[in-house]
Structures are given as structure tokens and as C-alpha cells.
Amino acid sequence: MRKALIVWGGWDGHQPKEVAGIFEDVLVKEGFEVEVSDTLDAFADGEKLKGLDLIVPIWTMDKIKPEYVQNVSEAVQSGVGLAGCHGGMCDAFRENVDWQFMTGGQWVAHPGNDGTDYVVNIKHSSSPLTEGIEDFEVSSEQYYLHVDPAVEVLATTRFPVTEGPHSLNKAVDMPVAWTKRWGVGRVYYNSLGHQANIIDIPVVKEMMRRGFNWCAEGKTAAVNGGTHAHAQA
């Protein structure tokens, strides 16, 4: 049975406990043995992390011991998947650039705040993660991120939607969901998920379900022959 670790905490405004419950339910239905922890000390045992198939961080705006980041990084480099959403993965540890390098991006703004109406545009490619999913609208925070140019973008959203100091720049398509490699491990991120009700939207939950499985399958792929192209499952 595949093993997943969910670690939740940090800023309560993102409802990390509730989001963890939704993700646990998704993973159990996908056949994972799931451990859920509410302490960053879950990252203390590097060898234990390397025995997992998937790590799911749900931890916003906090500090983390550098050795914990190193443990997660080494686990992912060895083939363990890393998948998460919103601030729980890409606004987790603002002072730790190693975490940001691994995850592929860092939140910097959400113009219009919660309740902004915007469109998520699916970027259809060779990736199986977007197959059959169409563009959709959402009312939530619209994340503006600083993004690693190495990621493979799966979905975008158009800025600007609301007025702000960024509005006089040309329109840009900001990544919403992406994948990247860290060593032979697979990383998946989705900027949706300000609160549990957004994660519970069927299309968002389906995107996360696919991301979890894709990342976890990377462990088997790594064991059976090393690196593969981004799009391959």
C-alpha cells in the first residue's frame, strides 16, 4: 500500500485542519495508507520520509528548521512525491528559499483579496493531469506568485482582474497549477484552496486527486528506471 504523510498547521485562516481532512479522504479512497500530523516535527526523521510515496504539506506562514527542509528535499530527490495547494505549500516558509526552490514558486499578492471572480484556464498539453478538464470560474483569492521558469504549467489565470499598482503592466497569464522535478521526485502545486470550501469544489478536488497520484507514481518510476519526461505518468 502506498504511504502518504499530511502535515498541517500554520495560519488558521486557511483552515488547514479542514483541508487536511478533505485530502485524507481523497487519499484513502485512492488506496493510500495516510498519516496525518499537526507538527513540523513530522519532518524530523529523514529516513522515514524516504520510505513514503507522497508528502502533502498544508502549512502557511511559519518558520521551519533548515534540517527539516533538508529532510523533505532529500526525500523528494530520492523519488518521494510532494503535492500541495495555495498558501499551504507556496506561502509556507517565506524565509526559506530552499523550500521555495523545491516547490516551484512563492506567493506575493492576491489583488482583490477573497471573493475575486476569475477564470482558471486549463493549459491542454501532453500532461495526463489536465485531460478532460475544461476552463472554470471561481470566486476566491487570485494568487499572484513568483514562479520557477522550470515548471510545466498546467493551468493559468489572467491578470489584472482587479485594480492595483500592477494594473498598468501588460496583461499576464499567471500559473495556477504546475508540475516540476526535484531530483527524481515529482512536485505538484495548485494555487486554489484558500479555504476548505474551495478545495471541495469537484473540479479542484479532481485536480488535486490527479496531482497526488501523479506525484506518488514518481516513486515507482524512479525505482524502475530513473527520470522521465514531465508528461509521463
Side-chain angles (χ1 to χ4, degrees):
M1 180 176 287
R2 297 180 296 176
K3 295 181 179 180
L5 170 65
I6 298 173
V7 181
W8 67 267
W11 185 58
D12 285 338
H14 279 161
Q15 300 180 335
K17 182 177 182 179
E18 291 80 1
V19 172
I22 294 172
F23 285 170
E24 180 182 13
D25 182 64
V26 170
L27 289 167
V28 168
K29 288 179 179 176
E30 292 299 302
F32 285 84
E33 176 186 326
V34 183
E35 177 185 349
V36 180
S37 174
D38 64 355
T39 172
L40 292 174
D41 291 338
F43 296 148
D45 187 341
E47 289 307 308
K48 178 181 177 182
L49 295 180
K50 289 178 182 177
L52 300 171
D53 295 278
L54 179 67
I55 298 170
V56 181
I58 312 171
W59 204 289
T60 306
M61 290 187 295
D62 208 346
K63 299 179 187 296
I64 188 171
K65 295 178 180 180
E67 57 266 33
Y68 288 2
V69 175
Q70 183 67 23
N71 287 344
V72 175
S73 176
E74 290 179 356
V76 178
Q77 290 177 58
S78 75
V80 179
L82 181 71
C85 72
H86 202 65
M89 187 160 121
C90 283
D91 191 23
F93 312 112
R94 294 178 181 178
E95 297 178 5
N96 195 289
V97 293
D98 293 329
W99 182 270
Q100 295 164 24
F101 192 11
M102 175 174 62
T103 58
Q106 170 61 38
W107 170 88
V108 293
H110 43 63
N113 301 313
D114 194 16
T116 298
D117 297 324
Y118 62 97
V119 177
V120 175
N121 300 112
I122 302 301
K123 184 177 175 64
H124 294 288
S125 66
S126 59
S127 174
L129 295 177
T130 59
E131 186 175 347
I133 297 178
E134 302 298 330
D135 296 352
F136 61 94
E137 297 181 1
V138 67
S139 181
S140 184
E141 290 181 341
Q142 187 186 30
Y143 259 22
Y144 203 102
L145 301 120
H146 287 170
V147 180
D148 183 344
V151 305
E152 179 174 353
V153 178
L154 304 179
T156 62
T157 185
R158 176 62 60 94
F159 277 87
V161 171
T162 60
E163 291 298 316
H166 65 299
S167 298
L168 293 180
N169 296 307
K170 64 180 176 66
V172 295
D173 291 320
M174 178 59 56
V176 169
W178 67 69
T179 58
K180 70 170 290 185
R181 297 291 176 162
W182 194 248
V184 295
R186 297 177 177 186
V187 178
Y188 174 84
Y189 175 71
N190 192 317
S191 72
L192 295 164
H194 175 58
Q195 292 187 327
N197 65 314
I198 300 299
I199 288 296
D200 223 16
I201 296 171
V203 66
V204 179
K205 188 186 292 187
E206 174 63 13
M207 291 173 77
M208 294 306 305
R209 185 192 70 82
R210 294 185 185 190
F212 292 150
N213 280 302
W214 182 84
C215 286
E217 287 162 4
K219 180 75 173 286
T220 302
V223 170
N224 290 341
T227 59
H228 292 253
H230 265 200
Q232 290 181 326

